[in-house]
Each structure stands twice: as C-alpha cells, then as structure tokens.
Amino acid sequence: MPETPQSPASRVAHVQVTRDEDGQRVDNFLMRRLKGVPRSRIYRLLRKGEVRVNKGRCKPDQRLCVGDVVRIPPVTRGEKKLEELPLPEGLARTLADAVLLEDDDLLILNKPAGLPVHGGSGVPVGVIEGLRRLRPESGFLELAHRLDRETSGCLVLARNRPALLAFHELLRDGRVDKVYCALVAGRWQGGPRRVAQSLSRTDRRGEVCLVQVDEEGQDADSFFTPRQVFAEATLMDVQIGTGRTHQIRVHAAHEGHPVAGDRHYGDFEFNRRMKRLGLKRQFLHAASLQFMLPTQGRAYNVLAPLDPALERVLERLEPR
C-alpha cells in the first residue's frame, strides 16, 4: 500500500513503512513524519489510540516492520515545518568542512562545539536536521550516538538501518574504542586512573538535565591518562567504556579535577582564569574512534583534529 499523497492537516494519512524504516520505534517514526509537532502531542496521540499500526493500537516503543501501515491522524502543527525554516547562516559550509569520512554505511563528522546534534528548544536546526536538509537525496540518515552541544569531535551518523543497528550493538558490547581529549583543573597526581562511579540523573538547570555520582545509578567507567601537566591544569586522554550523559565531566569533577570551561560541574575561579587565556567553551573533544563494523567487515580508525582555538589555549598555559 503506497503512502498517501501529501495532504492537509485535516486528513488522515496511511503511511507504509519502508525498508530504511524497518525496526524503527513508532514514536521515532512519528517524530520524523510530524516535523514541528511537540513530542508531548505525539505521545498524547499514542496514548489515546489515534495512531494505529495495521489497524491496531500501538505503544511508543513498538518496532515497525517493512510493509506495516501506520495510520497518522490529523495534526495541527504549532510551528513552521522544518523545511520552511531558513538554515542558519554558514551551516552548510560548516557541515561540509566537518566531514572526516563517508562511505555507504556511515558519515563521520568532526562536530564543531556549540552546534547541537539535533534541534531543540531555541535551536530548530542541529547537525541531523541540517544534513537532512542539505542532502535530501540521501534518504535514510540517523544519529548513531550523541555528543553534548559544547563537545567537539567524532560524531557518527548511519546511512542505513543495518549500519545503525550494528553500531548500536558495538556500543552496547563496549567494542567502540572512544578517546576524548580534556583539559582539567589542577595537577593530576600519579599516572593513569580508572574511575568506575555509577551515575544518575538529578535536577534540571534550565534545559540541561544534570547528573551526579550515585551508587544506585547506572554503571559508568572512564579511564583517565595524563598527557601533559601544566602549572594549574592537566591535559588528559580519557577512554570511556560506557556512554552515560555528562560521564567524563562528572567523573572528572568527582576526582577533584573538573573539565576546564564546564559551566555545570566546573570550578568557577579556574574557569575565569582559563577564559582570560581565550577559552570560550568547555575543553572536551572526542578525539578518536576505532571499531569494526560487521555489516561490511571494515575497520574504522578516525581521528578528529583539535580545534585551533583549543590549541592556542594550550600554548598559553604556564608550564609546570
């Protein structure tokens, strides 16, 4: 059953699931189809049974299969559709310059700091929305993982669903070697150190959900290796065995060495001194990724160069 033609919001649409959408959750499927509709509205449609899969009620986490027919009810959008919004000035060039590697399965970027991976409150267009707008012929394109808005470096996007599922399995099994570069406050004592402190979400600060060390929380594992020690800071390599929200930042702060420029878990006076040296963001960079993608049997070893602005900060630090 083909997809019904584009119709006004006053008409019901019946949409057939394509091969690229196979295995996608119903809620994610709707969010892609109903651009501009608030998440709360989408979940309300699901709770009320207005969305149907093959004429039956469905839950948000139900997985779709090729050929399934999804009934999408009339929905009034509270804002302009994404395609009606202008792209931020310079975004096309920024994203083009950020590409580190591209093949039939993956697109890997050196994400700039300050650019969110997806649009949200006050930021309608992030990396994924921008790329979909700039590459309408690409079809399937999904974030394979996430980086904080102020974190730069290696960001993986999948160009087909098998690659997306394969990468997610690698992440779950700890078979993606991720190394971050971080400048932290103070002189690190001793050599490499493993930090295994469970984390849980706590209160919100504006749009940010904060995280804290909590023995009842989710397991989190970070391995800190000092690369260069300065008079009042240390440049670290950090490998993470898990990918929890704000993991490196919270673990670093827990060890008494918060990440430079971190507004939520950092040291205010240290950040102020770093700002005088030209640091305008948190000093956290996803420097490299290594993994083997089983769908093609290809080994990936990707390096993301450090932002020149961060290099200049290092040059201005007083040596030990």
Side-chain angles (χ1 to χ4, degrees), residues 148 198-214 217-218 244-251 253 262-266 282:
D148 293 342
S198 299
L199 303 175
S200 67
R201 294 181 184 246
T202 177
D203 58 340
R204 298 187 69 89
R205 186 174 298 169
E207 294 296 321
V208 179
C209 184
L210 300 182
V211 174
Q212 64 184 358
V213 169
D214 178 2
Q218 293 180 304
R244 309 302 182 199
T245 301
H246 300 175
Q247 175 176 321
I248 293 175
R249 297 160 61 189
V250 176
H251 277 173
D262 190 334
R263 294 181 293 111
H264 297 297
Y265 310 104
Q282 70 184 21

PDB file of all heavy atoms in Angstrom, residues 148 198-214 217-218 244-251 253 262-266 282:
ATOM      1  N   ASP A 148      27.486  16.124  23.577  1.00  0.00           N
ATOM      2  CA  ASP A 148      26.956  17.355  24.151  1.00  0.00           C
ATOM      3  C   ASP A 148      27.164  18.506  23.174  1.00  0.00           C
ATOM      4  O   ASP A 148      28.111  18.501  22.376  1.00  0.00           O
ATOM      5  CB  ASP A 148      27.675  17.704  25.461  1.00  0.00           C
ATOM      6  CG  ASP A 148      27.384  16.720  26.564  1.00  0.00           C
ATOM      7  OD1 ASP A 148      26.395  15.976  26.452  1.00  0.00           O
ATOM      8  OD2 ASP A 148      28.156  16.707  27.546  1.00  0.00           O
ATOM      9  N   SER A 198      29.076   4.935  39.451  1.00  0.00           N
ATOM     10  CA  SER A 198      27.740   4.918  38.838  1.00  0.00           C
ATOM     11  C   SER A 198      27.143   6.316  38.839  1.00  0.00           C
ATOM     12  O   SER A 198      27.427   7.140  39.710  1.00  0.00           O
ATOM     13  CB  SER A 198      26.830   3.955  39.594  1.00  0.00           C
ATOM     14  OG  SER A 198      27.338   2.642  39.541  1.00  0.00           O
ATOM     15  N   LEU A 199      26.298   6.573  37.859  1.00  0.00           N
ATOM     16  CA  LEU A 199      25.724   7.905  37.671  1.00  0.00           C
ATOM     17  C   LEU A 199      24.206   7.834  37.578  1.00  0.00           C
ATOM     18  O   LEU A 199      23.641   6.857  37.076  1.00  0.00           O
ATOM     19  CB  LEU A 199      26.269   8.541  36.386  1.00  0.00           C
ATOM     20  CG  LEU A 199      27.788   8.683  36.269  1.00  0.00           C
ATOM     21  CD1 LEU A 199      28.173   9.204  34.889  1.00  0.00           C
ATOM     22  CD2 LEU A 199      28.336   9.595  37.350  1.00  0.00           C
ATOM     23  N   SER A 200      23.554   8.879  38.064  1.00  0.00           N
ATOM     24  CA  SER A 200      22.102   9.003  37.911  1.00  0.00           C
ATOM     25  C   SER A 200      21.752  10.453  37.616  1.00  0.00           C
ATOM     26  O   SER A 200      22.508  11.366  37.945  1.00  0.00           O
ATOM     27  CB  SER A 200      21.376   8.541  39.184  1.00  0.00           C
ATOM     28  OG  SER A 200      21.653   9.421  40.262  1.00  0.00           O
ATOM     29  N   ARG A 201      20.613  10.640  36.993  1.00  0.00           N
ATOM     30  CA  ARG A 201      20.148  11.995  36.680  1.00  0.00           C
ATOM     31  C   ARG A 201      19.588  12.638  37.940  1.00  0.00           C
ATOM     32  O   ARG A 201      19.012  11.974  38.790  1.00  0.00           O
ATOM     33  CB  ARG A 201      19.094  11.957  35.581  1.00  0.00           C
ATOM     34  CG  ARG A 201      19.664  11.491  34.248  1.00  0.00           C
ATOM     35  CD  ARG A 201      18.615  11.485  33.154  1.00  0.00           C
ATOM     36  NE  ARG A 201      19.185  10.933  31.934  1.00  0.00           N
ATOM     37  CZ  ARG A 201      19.387  11.628  30.811  1.00  0.00           C
ATOM     38  NH1 ARG A 201      19.054  12.903  30.771  1.00  0.00           N
ATOM     39  NH2 ARG A 201      19.901  11.056  29.747  1.00  0.00           N
ATOM     40  N   THR A 202      19.760  13.954  38.025  1.00  0.00           N
ATOM     41  CA  THR A 202      19.264  14.690  39.173  1.00  0.00           C
ATOM     42  C   THR A 202      18.381  15.833  38.673  1.00  0.00           C
ATOM     43  O   THR A 202      17.650  15.664  37.706  1.00  0.00           O
ATOM     44  CB  THR A 202      20.445  15.166  40.052  1.00  0.00           C
ATOM     45  OG1 THR A 202      19.941  15.947  41.125  1.00  0.00           O
ATOM     46  CG2 THR A 202      21.478  15.953  39.279  1.00  0.00           C
ATOM     47  N   ASP A 203      18.456  17.011  39.287  1.00  0.00           N
ATOM     48  CA  ASP A 203      17.574  18.113  38.904  1.00  0.00           C
ATOM     49  C   ASP A 203      17.975  18.716  37.567  1.00  0.00           C
ATOM     50  O   ASP A 203      19.025  18.420  37.016  1.00  0.00           O
ATOM     51  CB  ASP A 203      17.578  19.195  39.993  1.00  0.00           C
ATOM     52  CG  ASP A 203      18.982  19.736  40.258  1.00  0.00           C
ATOM     53  OD1 ASP A 203      19.960  19.054  39.904  1.00  0.00           O
ATOM     54  OD2 ASP A 203      19.093  20.827  40.822  1.00  0.00           O
ATOM     55  N   ARG A 204      17.114  19.567  37.051  1.00  0.00           N
ATOM     56  CA  ARG A 204      17.377  20.268  35.797  1.00  0.00           C
ATOM     57  C   ARG A 204      17.875  21.670  36.096  1.00  0.00           C
ATOM     58  O   ARG A 204      17.506  22.286  37.088  1.00  0.00           O
ATOM     59  CB  ARG A 204      16.108  20.347  34.941  1.00  0.00           C
ATOM     60  CG  ARG A 204      15.560  19.005  34.520  1.00  0.00           C
ATOM     61  CD  ARG A 204      14.412  19.177  33.545  1.00  0.00           C
ATOM     62  NE  ARG A 204      14.851  19.677  32.268  1.00  0.00           N
ATOM     63  CZ  ARG A 204      15.252  18.902  31.258  1.00  0.00           C
ATOM     64  NH1 ARG A 204      15.275  17.606  31.386  1.00  0.00           N
ATOM     65  NH2 ARG A 204      15.631  19.438  30.117  1.00  0.00           N
ATOM     66  N   ARG A 205      18.729  22.163  35.199  1.00  0.00           N
ATOM     67  CA  ARG A 205      19.173  23.549  35.269  1.00  0.00           C
ATOM     68  C   ARG A 205      18.876  24.161  33.904  1.00  0.00           C
ATOM     69  O   ARG A 205      19.614  23.988  32.956  1.00  0.00           O
ATOM     70  CB  ARG A 205      20.664  23.636  35.597  1.00  0.00           C
ATOM     71  CG  ARG A 205      21.176  25.050  35.826  1.00  0.00           C
ATOM     72  CD  ARG A 205      22.618  25.041  36.285  1.00  0.00           C
ATOM     73  NE  ARG A 205      22.774  24.336  37.561  1.00  0.00           N
ATOM     74  CZ  ARG A 205      23.969  24.006  38.073  1.00  0.00           C
ATOM     75  NH1 ARG A 205      25.076  24.310  37.423  1.00  0.00           N
ATOM     76  NH2 ARG A 205      24.028  23.388  39.239  1.00  0.00           N
ATOM     77  N   GLY A 206      17.737  24.857  33.829  1.00  0.00           N
ATOM     78  CA  GLY A 206      17.279  25.345  32.535  1.00  0.00           C
ATOM     79  C   GLY A 206      16.894  24.166  31.664  1.00  0.00           C
ATOM     80  O   GLY A 206      16.088  23.316  32.058  1.00  0.00           O
ATOM     81  N   GLU A 207      17.486  24.077  30.457  1.00  0.00           N
ATOM     82  CA  GLU A 207      17.198  22.978  29.541  1.00  0.00           C
ATOM     83  C   GLU A 207      18.100  21.773  29.781  1.00  0.00           C
ATOM     84  O   GLU A 207      17.979  20.757  29.099  1.00  0.00           O
ATOM     85  CB  GLU A 207      17.374  23.462  28.084  1.00  0.00           C
ATOM     86  CG  GLU A 207      16.368  24.514  27.646  1.00  0.00           C
ATOM     87  CD  GLU A 207      14.950  23.972  27.642  1.00  0.00           C
ATOM     88  OE1 GLU A 207      14.755  22.806  27.250  1.00  0.00           O
ATOM     89  OE2 GLU A 207      14.036  24.719  28.040  1.00  0.00           O
ATOM     90  N   VAL A 208      19.028  21.877  30.739  1.00  0.00           N
ATOM     91  CA  VAL A 208      20.017  20.825  30.956  1.00  0.00           C
ATOM     92  C   VAL A 208      19.616  19.928  32.121  1.00  0.00           C
ATOM     93  O   VAL A 208      19.318  20.414  33.209  1.00  0.00           O
ATOM     94  CB  VAL A 208      21.411  21.439  31.226  1.00  0.00           C
ATOM     95  CG1 VAL A 208      22.436  20.334  31.482  1.00  0.00           C
ATOM     96  CG2 VAL A 208      21.842  22.320  30.064  1.00  0.00           C
ATOM     97  N   CYS A 209      19.622  18.621  31.894  1.00  0.00           N
ATOM     98  CA  CYS A 209      19.379  17.654  32.963  1.00  0.00           C
ATOM     99  C   CYS A 209      20.736  17.266  33.543  1.00  0.00           C
ATOM    100  O   CYS A 209      21.593  16.728  32.836  1.00  0.00           O
ATOM    101  CB  CYS A 209      18.660  16.431  32.410  1.00  0.00           C
ATOM    102  SG  CYS A 209      18.214  15.237  33.682  1.00  0.00           S
ATOM    103  N   LEU A 210      20.958  17.548  34.815  1.00  0.00           N
ATOM    104  CA  LEU A 210      22.247  17.305  35.445  1.00  0.00           C
ATOM    105  C   LEU A 210      22.376  15.863  35.929  1.00  0.00           C
ATOM    106  O   LEU A 210      21.387  15.146  36.077  1.00  0.00           O
ATOM    107  CB  LEU A 210      22.453  18.282  36.598  1.00  0.00           C
ATOM    108  CG  LEU A 210      22.436  19.769  36.215  1.00  0.00           C
ATOM    109  CD1 LEU A 210      22.696  20.641  37.429  1.00  0.00           C
ATOM    110  CD2 LEU A 210      23.460  20.064  35.117  1.00  0.00           C
ATOM    111  N   VAL A 211      23.629  15.466  36.165  1.00  0.00           N
ATOM    112  CA  VAL A 211      23.954  14.086  36.530  1.00  0.00           C
ATOM    113  C   VAL A 211      24.825  14.117  37.777  1.00  0.00           C
ATOM    114  O   VAL A 211      25.584  15.067  37.992  1.00  0.00           O
ATOM    115  CB  VAL A 211      24.688  13.396  35.361  1.00  0.00           C
ATOM    116  CG1 VAL A 211      25.175  12.009  35.756  1.00  0.00           C
ATOM    117  CG2 VAL A 211      23.782  13.312  34.136  1.00  0.00           C
ATOM    118  N   GLN A 212      24.716  13.084  38.605  1.00  0.00           N
ATOM    119  CA  GLN A 212      25.519  13.017  39.816  1.00  0.00           C
ATOM    120  C   GLN A 212      26.031  11.594  40.035  1.00  0.00           C
ATOM    121  O   GLN A 212      25.467  10.621  39.510  1.00  0.00           O
ATOM    122  CB  GLN A 212      24.685  13.427  41.029  1.00  0.00           C
ATOM    123  CG  GLN A 212      23.525  12.486  41.316  1.00  0.00           C
ATOM    124  CD  GLN A 212      22.649  12.948  42.467  1.00  0.00           C
ATOM    125  OE1 GLN A 212      22.920  13.960  43.078  1.00  0.00           O
ATOM    126  NE2 GLN A 212      21.596  12.190  42.749  1.00  0.00           N
ATOM    127  N   VAL A 213      27.131  11.477  40.790  1.00  0.00           N
ATOM    128  CA  VAL A 213      27.616  10.163  41.209  1.00  0.00           C
ATOM    129  C   VAL A 213      26.616   9.579  42.201  1.00  0.00           C
ATOM    130  O   VAL A 213      26.198  10.241  43.148  1.00  0.00           O
ATOM    131  CB  VAL A 213      29.015  10.284  41.844  1.00  0.00           C
ATOM    132  CG1 VAL A 213      29.413   8.978  42.522  1.00  0.00           C
ATOM    133  CG2 VAL A 213      30.041  10.674  40.795  1.00  0.00           C
ATOM    134  N   ASP A 214      26.216   8.326  41.946  1.00  0.00           N
ATOM    135  CA  ASP A 214      25.173   7.694  42.772  1.00  0.00           C
ATOM    136  C   ASP A 214      25.360   6.188  42.683  1.00  0.00           C
ATOM    137  O   ASP A 214      25.244   5.601  41.596  1.00  0.00           O
ATOM    138  CB  ASP A 214      23.790   8.099  42.234  1.00  0.00           C
ATOM    139  CG  ASP A 214      22.650   7.463  42.990  1.00  0.00           C
ATOM    140  OD1 ASP A 214      22.897   6.720  43.959  1.00  0.00           O
ATOM    141  OD2 ASP A 214      21.494   7.695  42.595  1.00  0.00           O
ATOM    142  N   GLY A 217      22.905   4.312  40.787  1.00  0.00           N
ATOM    143  CA  GLY A 217      22.687   4.707  39.400  1.00  0.00           C
ATOM    144  C   GLY A 217      23.201   3.679  38.398  1.00  0.00           C
ATOM    145  O   GLY A 217      23.482   2.513  38.749  1.00  0.00           O
ATOM    146  N   GLN A 218      23.366   4.120  37.140  1.00  0.00           N
ATOM    147  CA  GLN A 218      23.844   3.248  36.073  1.00  0.00           C
ATOM    148  C   GLN A 218      25.373   3.160  36.120  1.00  0.00           C
ATOM    149  O   GLN A 218      26.059   4.148  36.386  1.00  0.00           O
ATOM    150  CB  GLN A 218      23.412   3.791  34.707  1.00  0.00           C
ATOM    151  CG  GLN A 218      21.912   3.751  34.463  1.00  0.00           C
ATOM    152  CD  GLN A 218      21.562   4.295  33.097  1.00  0.00           C
ATOM    153  OE1 GLN A 218      21.914   5.421  32.748  1.00  0.00           O
ATOM    154  NE2 GLN A 218      20.873   3.502  32.289  1.00  0.00           N
ATOM    155  N   ARG A 244      27.472   7.313  29.246  1.00  0.00           N
ATOM    156  CA  ARG A 244      26.420   7.982  30.015  1.00  0.00           C
ATOM    157  C   ARG A 244      26.461   9.492  29.790  1.00  0.00           C
ATOM    158  O   ARG A 244      27.511  10.064  29.492  1.00  0.00           O
ATOM    159  CB  ARG A 244      26.578   7.693  31.506  1.00  0.00           C
ATOM    160  CG  ARG A 244      26.720   6.233  31.871  1.00  0.00           C
ATOM    161  CD  ARG A 244      25.553   5.389  31.416  1.00  0.00           C
ATOM    162  NE  ARG A 244      25.726   4.012  31.839  1.00  0.00           N
ATOM    163  CZ  ARG A 244      25.082   2.984  31.306  1.00  0.00           C
ATOM    164  NH1 ARG A 244      24.219   3.170  30.326  1.00  0.00           N
ATOM    165  NH2 ARG A 244      25.299   1.756  31.735  1.00  0.00           N
ATOM    166  N   THR A 245      25.319  10.124  29.995  1.00  0.00           N
ATOM    167  CA  THR A 245      25.224  11.578  29.880  1.00  0.00           C
ATOM    168  C   THR A 245      26.221  12.262  30.816  1.00  0.00           C
ATOM    169  O   THR A 245      26.280  11.941  32.010  1.00  0.00           O
ATOM    170  CB  THR A 245      23.794  12.043  30.232  1.00  0.00           C
ATOM    171  OG1 THR A 245      22.874  11.418  29.329  1.00  0.00           O
ATOM    172  CG2 THR A 245      23.676  13.563  30.109  1.00  0.00           C
ATOM    173  N   HIS A 246      27.020  13.185  30.278  1.00  0.00           N
ATOM    174  CA  HIS A 246      27.968  14.000  31.050  1.00  0.00           C
ATOM    175  C   HIS A 246      28.992  13.152  31.806  1.00  0.00           C
ATOM    176  O   HIS A 246      29.581  13.613  32.782  1.00  0.00           O
ATOM    177  CB  HIS A 246      27.234  14.909  32.040  1.00  0.00           C
ATOM    178  CG  HIS A 246      26.291  15.872  31.401  1.00  0.00           C
ATOM    179  ND1 HIS A 246      25.464  16.696  32.139  1.00  0.00           N
ATOM    180  CD2 HIS A 246      26.032  16.158  30.100  1.00  0.00           C
ATOM    181  CE1 HIS A 246      24.738  17.431  31.317  1.00  0.00           C
ATOM    182  NE2 HIS A 246      25.060  17.123  30.074  1.00  0.00           N
ATOM    183  N   GLN A 247      29.232  11.923  31.356  1.00  0.00           N
ATOM    184  CA  GLN A 247      30.048  10.980  32.120  1.00  0.00           C
ATOM    185  C   GLN A 247      31.446  11.511  32.447  1.00  0.00           C
ATOM    186  O   GLN A 247      31.868  11.509  33.618  1.00  0.00           O
ATOM    187  CB  GLN A 247      30.174   9.668  31.345  1.00  0.00           C
ATOM    188  CG  GLN A 247      31.096   8.657  32.006  1.00  0.00           C
ATOM    189  CD  GLN A 247      31.120   7.340  31.274  1.00  0.00           C
ATOM    190  OE1 GLN A 247      30.085   6.877  30.800  1.00  0.00           O
ATOM    191  NE2 GLN A 247      32.287   6.721  31.175  1.00  0.00           N
ATOM    192  N   ILE A 248      32.177  11.950  31.434  1.00  0.00           N
ATOM    193  CA  ILE A 248      33.547  12.407  31.668  1.00  0.00           C
ATOM    194  C   ILE A 248      33.557  13.630  32.579  1.00  0.00           C
ATOM    195  O   ILE A 248      34.368  13.728  33.511  1.00  0.00           O
ATOM    196  CB  ILE A 248      34.245  12.725  30.326  1.00  0.00           C
ATOM    197  CG1 ILE A 248      34.446  11.438  29.520  1.00  0.00           C
ATOM    198  CG2 ILE A 248      35.583  13.428  30.558  1.00  0.00           C
ATOM    199  CD1 ILE A 248      35.005  11.658  28.132  1.00  0.00           C
ATOM    200  N   ARG A 249      32.634  14.538  32.339  1.00  0.00           N
ATOM    201  CA  ARG A 249      32.594  15.770  33.131  1.00  0.00           C
ATOM    202  C   ARG A 249      32.319  15.484  34.611  1.00  0.00           C
ATOM    203  O   ARG A 249      32.941  16.071  35.503  1.00  0.00           O
ATOM    204  CB  ARG A 249      31.541  16.703  32.544  1.00  0.00           C
ATOM    205  CG  ARG A 249      31.864  17.148  31.122  1.00  0.00           C
ATOM    206  CD  ARG A 249      30.639  17.659  30.392  1.00  0.00           C
ATOM    207  NE  ARG A 249      30.057  18.827  31.057  1.00  0.00           N
ATOM    208  CZ  ARG A 249      28.879  19.361  30.710  1.00  0.00           C
ATOM    209  NH1 ARG A 249      28.164  18.813  29.730  1.00  0.00           N
ATOM    210  NH2 ARG A 249      28.432  20.423  31.338  1.00  0.00           N
ATOM    211  N   VAL A 250      31.388  14.583  34.883  1.00  0.00           N
ATOM    212  CA  VAL A 250      31.038  14.267  36.269  1.00  0.00           C
ATOM    213  C   VAL A 250      32.156  13.468  36.937  1.00  0.00           C
ATOM    214  O   VAL A 250      32.510  13.712  38.090  1.00  0.00           O
ATOM    215  CB  VAL A 250      29.696  13.517  36.330  1.00  0.00           C
ATOM    216  CG1 VAL A 250      29.375  13.101  37.753  1.00  0.00           C
ATOM    217  CG2 VAL A 250      28.579  14.408  35.787  1.00  0.00           C
ATOM    218  N   HIS A 251      32.730  12.505  36.216  1.00  0.00           N
ATOM    219  CA  HIS A 251      33.828  11.729  36.785  1.00  0.00           C
ATOM    220  C   HIS A 251      35.048  12.607  37.070  1.00  0.00           C
ATOM    221  O   HIS A 251      35.713  12.452  38.104  1.00  0.00           O
ATOM    222  CB  HIS A 251      34.210  10.594  35.833  1.00  0.00           C
ATOM    223  CG  HIS A 251      33.344   9.383  35.965  1.00  0.00           C
ATOM    224  ND1 HIS A 251      33.434   8.300  35.111  1.00  0.00           N
ATOM    225  CD2 HIS A 251      32.364   9.065  36.857  1.00  0.00           C
ATOM    226  CE1 HIS A 251      32.561   7.382  35.471  1.00  0.00           C
ATOM    227  NE2 HIS A 251      31.894   7.831  36.528  1.00  0.00           N
ATOM    228  N   ALA A 253      35.071  15.843  37.720  1.00  0.00           N
ATOM    229  CA  ALA A 253      34.763  16.684  38.880  1.00  0.00           C
ATOM    230  C   ALA A 253      34.810  15.871  40.170  1.00  0.00           C
ATOM    231  O   ALA A 253      35.277  16.348  41.209  1.00  0.00           O
ATOM    232  CB  ALA A 253      33.395  17.336  38.701  1.00  0.00           C
ATOM    233  N   ASP A 262      33.729  24.046  32.059  1.00  0.00           N
ATOM    234  CA  ASP A 262      32.456  23.370  32.346  1.00  0.00           C
ATOM    235  C   ASP A 262      31.611  24.262  33.257  1.00  0.00           C
ATOM    236  O   ASP A 262      31.964  24.516  34.404  1.00  0.00           O
ATOM    237  CB  ASP A 262      32.727  22.030  33.025  1.00  0.00           C
ATOM    238  CG  ASP A 262      31.478  21.163  33.139  1.00  0.00           C
ATOM    239  OD1 ASP A 262      30.366  21.716  33.174  1.00  0.00           O
ATOM    240  OD2 ASP A 262      31.632  19.931  33.195  1.00  0.00           O
ATOM    241  N   ARG A 263      30.458  24.725  32.735  1.00  0.00           N
ATOM    242  CA  ARG A 263      29.619  25.669  33.479  1.00  0.00           C
ATOM    243  C   ARG A 263      28.796  24.990  34.557  1.00  0.00           C
ATOM    244  O   ARG A 263      28.330  25.657  35.489  1.00  0.00           O
ATOM    245  CB  ARG A 263      28.686  26.414  32.506  1.00  0.00           C
ATOM    246  CG  ARG A 263      29.413  27.326  31.534  1.00  0.00           C
ATOM    247  CD  ARG A 263      28.459  28.054  30.604  1.00  0.00           C
ATOM    248  NE  ARG A 263      27.799  27.133  29.686  1.00  0.00           N
ATOM    249  CZ  ARG A 263      26.509  26.827  29.715  1.00  0.00           C
ATOM    250  NH1 ARG A 263      25.728  27.363  30.643  1.00  0.00           N
ATOM    251  NH2 ARG A 263      25.991  26.001  28.831  1.00  0.00           N
ATOM    252  N   HIS A 264      28.595  23.686  34.451  1.00  0.00           N
ATOM    253  CA  HIS A 264      27.692  22.999  35.383  1.00  0.00           C
ATOM    254  C   HIS A 264      28.420  22.223  36.473  1.00  0.00           C
ATOM    255  O   HIS A 264      27.919  22.116  37.596  1.00  0.00           O
ATOM    256  CB  HIS A 264      26.757  22.074  34.614  1.00  0.00           C
ATOM    257  CG  HIS A 264      25.859  22.800  33.667  1.00  0.00           C
ATOM    258  ND1 HIS A 264      24.922  23.723  34.081  1.00  0.00           N
ATOM    259  CD2 HIS A 264      25.772  22.767  32.311  1.00  0.00           C
ATOM    260  CE1 HIS A 264      24.288  24.212  33.020  1.00  0.00           C
ATOM    261  NE2 HIS A 264      24.786  23.647  31.951  1.00  0.00           N
ATOM    262  N   TYR A 265      29.561  21.640  36.164  1.00  0.00           N
ATOM    263  CA  TYR A 265      30.278  20.829  37.148  1.00  0.00           C
ATOM    264  C   TYR A 265      31.680  21.387  37.436  1.00  0.00           C
ATOM    265  O   TYR A 265      32.447  20.768  38.168  1.00  0.00           O
ATOM    266  CB  TYR A 265      30.428  19.382  36.643  1.00  0.00           C
ATOM    267  CG  TYR A 265      29.140  18.755  36.161  1.00  0.00           C
ATOM    268  CD1 TYR A 265      28.877  18.616  34.797  1.00  0.00           C
ATOM    269  CD2 TYR A 265      28.181  18.306  37.067  1.00  0.00           C
ATOM    270  CE1 TYR A 265      27.701  18.043  34.351  1.00  0.00           C
ATOM    271  CE2 TYR A 265      26.997  17.723  36.625  1.00  0.00           C
ATOM    272  CZ  TYR A 265      26.761  17.598  35.266  1.00  0.00           C
ATOM    273  OH  TYR A 265      25.602  17.030  34.822  1.00  0.00           O
ATOM    274  N   GLY A 266      31.995  22.531  36.845  1.00  0.00           N
ATOM    275  CA  GLY A 266      33.344  23.039  36.908  1.00  0.00           C
ATOM    276  C   GLY A 266      33.646  23.937  38.097  1.00  0.00           C
ATOM    277  O   GLY A 266      32.813  24.167  38.975  1.00  0.00           O
ATOM    278  N   GLN A 282      33.746  24.616  26.960  1.00  0.00           N
ATOM    279  CA  GLN A 282      34.344  23.548  27.759  1.00  0.00           C
ATOM    280  C   GLN A 282      35.397  22.829  26.920  1.00  0.00           C
ATOM    281  O   GLN A 282      35.219  22.616  25.719  1.00  0.00           O
ATOM    282  CB  GLN A 282      33.289  22.582  28.275  1.00  0.00           C
ATOM    283  CG  GLN A 282      32.647  21.699  27.228  1.00  0.00           C
ATOM    284  CD  GLN A 282      31.548  20.831  27.804  1.00  0.00           C
ATOM    285  OE1 GLN A 282      30.988  21.119  28.843  1.00  0.00           O
ATOM    286  NE2 GLN A 282      31.204  19.774  27.102  1.00  0.00           N
TER     287      GLN A 282
END
